[in-house]
Amino acid sequence: MEKEVAVAIDDLTVAYNYKPVLWDIDLAIPKGVLMAIVGPNGAGKSTLIKSILGIIKPIAGSVTVFGKPYTKQRKKVAYVPQKGSVDWDFPTTALDVVLMGTYGSLGWIKRPGKTQKKAALEALEKVGMLPFKNRQISQLSGGQQQRIFLARALVQNAEIYFMDEPFQGVDATTEKAIINILKALRKAGKTVVVVHHDLQTVPEYFDWVTFLNVKKIATGPVKDIFNNENLIKTYGINYQVSIQE
């Protein structure tokens, strides 16, 4: 039986100054997978996520989320951006950042109440950051900041989670904590899509993978397509990685 498609991308092309960054991408992301997007620098990995979310406008193609345009499905989607794209000097506490994740369900007029605060505190506890709830985000380490943004995504109770290099600059303990949460989301039937750069951990962390280098090279279950043939196609003939085939 075929899996339900969470995200369908058809003929997607994105260009910066007339130079294609993504070229004619067709991709179906099944519901309930934990998927890595891998490829070299400049392959268009972050651009792909931003195009799905409407942050970047493609010059051609379409994206649907559970069969409808993203604009109609926003509440079903959560996004954890790259750490480098966030203003960490903004004067706000860890708890306030997580509470921002509830605004989508409240709208901008209402303020978060007891229910939202309880959900935010539970999300902080899940990521091991409850003791830091009143700490200014600028005073947190890189790994702690990443956990806070993960908690903000969790509190949205989305169906699909997009994460752009969530393991970048975090320590081993934080990385383990994050991947355990992502696996728990998959177990709960959620779809999790992660831009990832550490090829050695792909078989351990993910069950689905998409190889990308401006064009889609391959996509499917890790056990079927995470192999040296696709790595060479994606990274070039000299790329070497040890894989148990």
Side-chain angles (χ1 to χ4, degrees):
M1 193 172 99
E2 282 202 6
K3 286 175 177 277
E4 181 186 351
V5 173
V7 181
I9 300 164
D10 294 303
D11 301 331
L12 187 80
T13 296
V14 177
Y16 296 145
N17 298 323
Y18 304 105
K19 184 187 177 206
V21 184
L22 292 173
W23 183 256
D24 203 18
I25 305 288
D26 288 311
L27 180 63
I29 303 173
K31 181 178 186 285
V33 297
L34 176 47
M35 183 179 94
I37 302 173
V38 299
N41 290 338
K45 302 184 294 294
S46 297
T47 301
L48 180 61
I49 285 185
K50 288 175 181 175
S51 301
I52 293 167
L53 300 171
I55 298 167
I56 291 172
K57 194 169 171 52
I59 58 171
S62 64
V63 176
T64 56
V65 176
F66 292 117
K68 295 177 184 174
Y70 167 71
T71 49
K72 291 191 161 72
Q73 301 282 48
R74 278 180 207 277
K75 290 183 181 177
K76 293 185 177 177
V77 177
Y79 172 48
V80 178
Q82 273 189 22
K83 266 188 30 255
S85 66
V86 177
D87 178 9
W88 295 107
D89 293 325
F90 187 75
T92 188
T93 65
L95 178 58
D96 286 336
V97 171
V98 179
L99 278 170
M100 287 174 194
T102 66
Y103 289 175
S105 57
L106 285 172
W108 288 103
I109 310 299
K110 290 183 183 172
R111 302 297 299 156
K114 281 183 184 173
T115 306
Q116 289 75 30
K117 189 169 181 184
K118 182 171 180 277
L121 292 170
E122 285 172 358
L124 281 167
E125 190 167 24
K126 270 185 191 168
V127 301
M129 289 298 292
L130 192 55
F132 299 87
K133 65 181 180 183
N134 296 320
R135 190 77 62 89
Q136 291 281 320
I137 55 164
S138 59
Q139 296 171 346
L140 299 172
S141 71
Q144 289 169 333
Q145 290 170 342
Q146 194 69 313
R147 289 188 192 212
I148 295 301
F149 266 67
L150 179 55
R152 187 183 71 164
L154 291 176
V155 87
Q156 291 175 246
N157 195 24
E159 291 300 314
I160 304 174
Y161 292 83
F162 290 101
M163 305 195 180
D164 198 348
E165 302 229 14
F167 306 116
Q168 190 177 32
V170 304
D171 57 44
T173 307
T174 296
E175 181 160 330
K176 192 167 175 53
I178 291 173
I179 195 60
N180 286 342
I181 289 165
L182 303 193
K183 286 181 175 180
L185 286 170
R186 178 188 60 197
K187 196 173 178 184
K190 311 292 188 180
T191 305
V192 186
V193 179
V194 179
V195 172
H196 191 61
H197 67 274
D198 181 8
L199 292 170
Q200 300 291 354
T201 56
V202 169
E204 181 189 348
Y205 288 0
F206 300 94
D207 61 340
W208 207 266
V209 63
T210 293
F211 288 94
L212 188 69
N213 192 351
V214 183
K215 295 181 177 182
K216 182 190 80 179
I217 310 297
T219 188
V222 169
K223 61 182 173 55
D224 295 338
I225 70 156
F226 193 74
N227 52 42
N228 283 317
E229 182 188 348
N230 284 325
L231 283 160
I232 289 165
K233 281 183 190 172
T234 307
Y235 289 89
I237 198 74
N238 295 322
Y239 200 90
Q240 291 294 318
V241 67
S242 167
I243 300 170
Q244 303 299 317
E245 293 200 55

